[in-house]
Amino acid sequence: MTVGEVLRQLRIDKNLTQREVATGIMSRSHLSELEHGDYYPAYDTMLRLLRRLNITLTEFQTEIGAVSDEPGRAYIQHTNHLSTEQKLPELERYLTEVFTDDVAKSDLRLRMKRLNMLGLVNFELHPQTVNLNDYQPIFDYLLGCQNWHEYEIRLLANSIFLAQYDVAKMLAHQFVTKGRRVHFHDFKIKVALFFHNLMEIALDHGDDRLSKQYATQSLFYGKAAHSLSFQIDAEIFLELIATRAGTDIGQNKQKIEHRISMFEELGYQDVANNRLQAVKKYLT
């Protein structure tokens, strides 16, 4: 059963009308669309609906059932595997032939995952065709949530590189109120990644002031997570930004070279090469 079908059955079982469930949360018409699979609310709105139905999220997931959930989990796990292994041509075929728009359209997480993965493929394989407006539904969802939870923080960190710059800055600002109370096992790493990606977006737009702020935040969360790679990375970019400002150019270039060599010593040659390209890109 779909999420909407389960919600409808719960409402009927509890002898509630659509109006009684929807009042103060969403319009009755939106609830009707949700029950028929034509609409999906923000995460926090969904939780309010569950509270109105007097059911916990855990109980609701049990109602949906492992059988209906397993196919969605399989799509997400396989795309994660292909992206982690950098098998982007294979990922592109999978999104085109198997994990299609029809498969994803009935479930919020599947829609967001597929859109995020399409963005990754296009950004890496077809950069000349990327239109950031295509990925705006991800950020409309995030901006529409009153608060972010683990799912939203992960989505934010993994997809922010696809945001328009004004939207990215807005999301960075909202993180202060929507995201900082969240905690999960790799929260600090995800936030370090989020601010790292923001830093590069700001650099691409020539906004060195904000880029420095974001790099500082990435360094802070990298240290908090005891992640040497994020610390080295943030320091490289902070020195790069200082070099662009004309501060201690020779000394900063030496520090950059030293920190890139640390990636090589740690066995991260691909990362080292990427940072050499970034230095060439942002200092020429």
Side-chain angles (χ1 to χ4, degrees):
M1 297 178 71
T2 67
V3 168
E5 289 170 339
V6 173
L7 280 174
R8 180 177 182 277
Q9 189 59 56
L10 286 169
R11 177 179 61 76
I12 292 172
D13 289 345
K14 294 172 184 291
N15 199 30
L16 295 169
T17 66
Q18 287 183 339
R19 189 170 299 282
E20 287 172 327
V21 172
T23 298
I25 300 176
M26 62 171 54
S27 68
R28 189 203 63 77
S29 62
H30 272 160
L31 178 59
S32 178
E33 290 174 353
L34 169 57
E35 290 184 352
H36 288 87
D38 297 324
Y39 171 78
Y40 201 92
Y43 183 73
D44 50 332
T45 303
M46 187 70 180
L47 291 179
R48 293 173 66 194
L49 285 175
L50 295 182
R51 284 196 293 270
R52 179 66 55 81
L53 290 166
N54 191 27
I55 184 170
T56 67
L57 181 57
T58 300
E59 291 168 339
F60 182 65
Q61 289 171 330
T62 300
E63 290 287 337
I64 293 174
V67 174
S68 63
D69 184 54
E70 187 60 37
R73 187 181 299 117
Y75 291 122
I76 290 172
Q77 287 177 342
H78 193 59
T79 54
N80 285 342
H81 168 72
L82 293 175
S83 63
T84 300
E85 296 295 319
Q86 288 293 298
K87 297 179 178 179
L88 297 184
E90 188 175 339
L91 176 58
E92 183 174 32
R93 287 193 297 273
Y94 185 71
L95 294 170
T96 303
E97 299 171 6
V98 181
F99 189 7
T100 63
D101 185 56
D102 283 342
V103 169
K105 67 181 180 183
S106 63
D107 182 274
L108 171 70
R109 292 195 179 212
L110 292 181
R111 291 202 309 274
M112 296 295 104
K113 172 58 71 173
R114 185 173 187 275
L115 199 54
N116 192 184
M117 291 295 100
L118 280 173
L120 174 64
V121 166
N122 289 328
F123 201 86
E124 294 293 335
L125 300 183
H126 315 292
Q128 69 281 1
T129 67
V130 170
N131 181 351
L132 295 182
N133 289 327
D134 293 341
Y135 311 103
Q136 186 60 34
I138 296 174
F139 308 111
D140 288 341
Y141 166 74
L142 290 168
L143 291 168
C145 294
Q146 289 184 6
N147 290 296
W148 294 329
H149 299 268
E150 179 176 350
Y151 170 70
E152 284 77 22
I153 296 297
R154 292 184 183 280
L155 178 63
L156 184 70
N158 292 331
S159 63
I160 191 65
F161 72 99
L162 295 168
Q164 299 277 5
Y165 187 42
D166 287 345
V167 173
K169 289 189 290 185
M170 193 181 306
L171 289 163
H173 179 74
Q174 290 193 1
F175 175 79
V176 175
T177 55
K178 289 185 176 183
R180 288 201 171 183
R181 65 179 187 148
V182 181
H183 295 285
F184 48 89
H185 78 278
D186 59 349
F187 169 77
K188 293 169 185 174
I189 287 291
K190 285 298 180 184
V191 178
L193 173 64
F194 169 57
F195 280 110
H196 172 85
N197 286 334
L198 281 169
M199 170 198 69
E200 290 210 64
I201 294 171
L203 273 174
D204 285 337
H205 285 80
D207 194 338
D208 287 18
R209 181 186 63 82
L210 271 183
S211 185
K212 183 178 179 179
Q213 289 183 22
Y214 298 148
T216 302
Q217 288 293 307
S218 185
L219 178 61
F220 172 82
Y221 282 100
K223 286 182 176 179
H226 306 292
S227 171
L228 181 60
S229 61
F230 269 109
Q231 292 179 58
I232 296 171
D233 219 19
E235 288 168 350
I236 288 172
F237 278 92
L238 283 169
E239 286 148 6
L240 187 154
I241 293 164
T243 303
R244 281 163 61 99
T247 306
D248 297 328
I249 294 175
Q251 186 177 2
N252 279 321
K253 285 186 175 180
Q254 288 181 353
K255 289 180 179 179
I256 290 170
E257 291 172 0
H258 172 65
R259 283 177 170 79
I260 290 176
S261 71
M262 291 175 68
F263 277 128
E264 293 173 335
E265 292 169 7
L266 290 169
Y268 299 140
Q269 188 61 53
D270 289 345
V271 177
N273 292 340
N274 181 276
R275 294 304 171 258
L276 284 170
Q277 292 174 8
V279 170
K280 182 178 180 180
K281 173 183 177 181
Y282 293 122
L283 291 184
T284 56

